[in-house]
Amino acid sequence: MQHQDFWLNATDGTALLVNHWYSESSPKAVVMIAHGMAEHSARYARLAESLVADRFAVYALDQRGHGRTAERGVLGHYADADGWSKVVGDLASLNHHIRQQHPQAPIFLLAHSMGSYIGQAYLMQHSCSLQGAILSGSNYQSPGLYKLASLIARAERWRQGPGGHSKLIDFLSFGSFNKAFKPNRTAFDWLSRDPAEVDKYVHDPLCGHPCSNQLWIDLLGGMQHISQVDNLAQIDSDLPLLVTGGSRDPVSQGKRLADLAGALRAAGIKDVQLQIYPDGRHEMLNESNRDEVTRHLHDWLNAALARSRTCPTPVKEPA
């Protein structure tokens, strides 16, 4: 396997760090990865190695406010304005770059946690750019809950400013995540049953950082939008989707993964598969059974790759 990283300019000129894993031979398909909150794309190198061995190429960007992209921005902060549309647009910029480099290769999206919410918004606009998509460690709740949370985030922005870090928001978002795993060894035991993987996260300076009030406002506003079934219906109904995660992930508790799969089916998407791993926590790719998870991922990708994809032709407006 070979690896390179490079800077990709987004549509507004923001420089995005992209990790690219590949072999010398032409890939049969490409996987682009959207990581979760308070982590970064280099953490997916182990998965990338297995995918490259199976003749996939992998591109993973550090999203705004995360990883090395934050070297040219602010850690934990998308943007001062219009952050949600910018992070969704960044996936479109990456997809466009991949298409230029591999014009014949089908493209898949693997989107985890925060990335899965951004990924759903991307699918509403650009699902015909993909062969399939995987939503990992995700969630589905009513728009009203996100609206209430947005009001709290806006109050915290008024109190602290858009770049402030609210302990109240952190508590409401993550404060209960370790309760099910007491006595917990670290603040991040909810990520994985594997202590070595948790320690890697804890000791990574680009992981576990707080996020700005403005990022929360952007994210929660986006989550209100994607939690409406009528909006999910904008996704191409023939796009293969895999919803996957652990039954003990405090983000979803398994149930809200099933709710997400149900909402996608209710939106008219025909091929939605649900995979919930018993006792798994939030990062199934870093879990104690990660080899099993990775095998299942390969099986799903190859099955989806074998399917023909024909997107509907947009109806032209009358002159």
Side-chain angles (χ1 to χ4, degrees):
M1 181 182 73
Q2 299 193 50
H3 168 260
Q4 65 173 178
D5 54 45
F6 61 92
W7 294 95
L8 176 68
N9 285 331
T11 53
D12 68 344
T14 296
L16 308 168
L17 189 282
V18 180
N19 279 293
H20 177 207
W21 294 275
Y22 60 99
S23 67
E24 287 299 329
S25 59
S26 297
K28 65 184 180 183
V30 177
V31 177
M32 66 179 204
I33 296 176
H35 64 73
M37 179 181 282
E39 62 152 342
H40 57 92
S41 62
R43 300 183 72 233
Y44 293 80
R46 179 171 56 211
L47 173 66
E49 183 175 6
S50 74
L51 288 171
V52 170
D54 196 14
R55 296 182 48 233
F56 291 88
V58 180
Y59 289 79
L61 81 167
D62 283 354
Q63 302 199 65
R64 292 174 191 245
H66 292 77
R68 289 179 56 198
T69 293
E71 293 173 5
R72 304 187 182 185
V74 178
L75 191 64
H77 184 72
Y78 290 153
D80 292 338
D82 205 25
W84 181 254
S85 64
K86 287 174 179 173
V87 291
V88 175
D90 293 343
L91 290 182
S93 295
L94 178 59
N95 184 280
H96 179 69
H97 174 83
I98 294 169
R99 180 63 62 217
Q100 288 180 313
Q101 301 302 310
H102 307 281
Q104 303 303 318
I107 302 173
F108 291 91
L109 172 65
L110 167 59
H112 175 67
S113 196
M114 176 191 78
S116 76
Y117 312 132
I118 297 169
Q120 288 172 64
Y122 175 83
L123 294 181
M124 292 174 191
Q125 300 174 28
H126 304 288
S127 51
C128 282
S129 72
L130 297 171
Q131 181 73 17
I134 300 160
L135 303 175
S136 161
S138 196
N139 191 348
Y140 181 83
Q141 299 196 69
S142 71
L145 180 67
Y146 298 129
K147 185 175 181 179
L148 175 61
S150 291
L151 292 174
I152 296 171
R154 290 178 185 278
E156 290 296 270
R157 181 178 63 180
W158 175 84
R159 189 174 68 87
Q160 296 180 318
H165 298 141
S166 169
K167 291 183 178 180
L168 175 61
I169 295 175
D170 284 346
F171 174 76
L172 293 173
S173 303
F174 305 111
S176 63
F177 280 9
N178 255 342
K179 283 185 178 179
F181 309 114
K182 288 185 175 182
N184 50 291
R185 188 177 60 88
T186 76
F188 296 101
D189 285 14
W190 57 275
L191 293 175
S192 172
R193 290 167 289 179
D194 185 336
E197 292 299 319
V198 174
D199 287 346
K200 286 180 188 177
Y201 183 94
V202 169
H203 295 113
D204 189 329
L206 294 176
C207 288
H209 54 78
C211 291
S212 71
N213 294 327
Q214 186 61 52
L215 181 147
W216 279 109
I217 290 169
D218 293 332
L219 178 60
L220 291 165
M223 292 172 80
Q224 284 184 65
H225 184 72
I226 65 171
S227 60
Q228 299 175 51
V229 171
D230 287 350
N231 291 334
L232 290 172
Q234 298 173 56
I235 300 172
D236 174 33
S237 62
D238 287 324
L239 182 74
L241 289 176
L242 172 63
V243 176
T244 183
S247 69
R248 298 194 72 196
D249 178 358
V251 171
S252 67
Q253 300 170 347
K255 176 187 181 302
R256 291 195 288 272
L257 281 174
D259 291 343
L260 174 59
L264 291 163
R265 291 171 182 142
I269 301 166
K270 300 171 187 174
D271 183 1
V272 180
Q273 294 187 35
L274 176 64
Q275 176 71 59
I276 300 176
Y277 294 93
D279 297 322
R281 300 185 189 179
H282 186 56
E283 293 190 345
M284 290 309 307
L285 291 169
N286 294 322
E287 258 290 9
S288 53
N289 63 327
R290 56 185 169 267
D291 291 344
E292 173 195 13
V293 175
T294 301
R295 283 196 303 271
H296 289 172
L297 197 66
H298 280 257
D299 290 345
W300 184 89
L301 286 167
N302 283 303
L305 185 60
R307 286 189 48 174
S308 60
R309 281 278 288 137
T310 54
C311 275
T313 302
V315 176
K316 291 184 178 180
E317 293 294 330

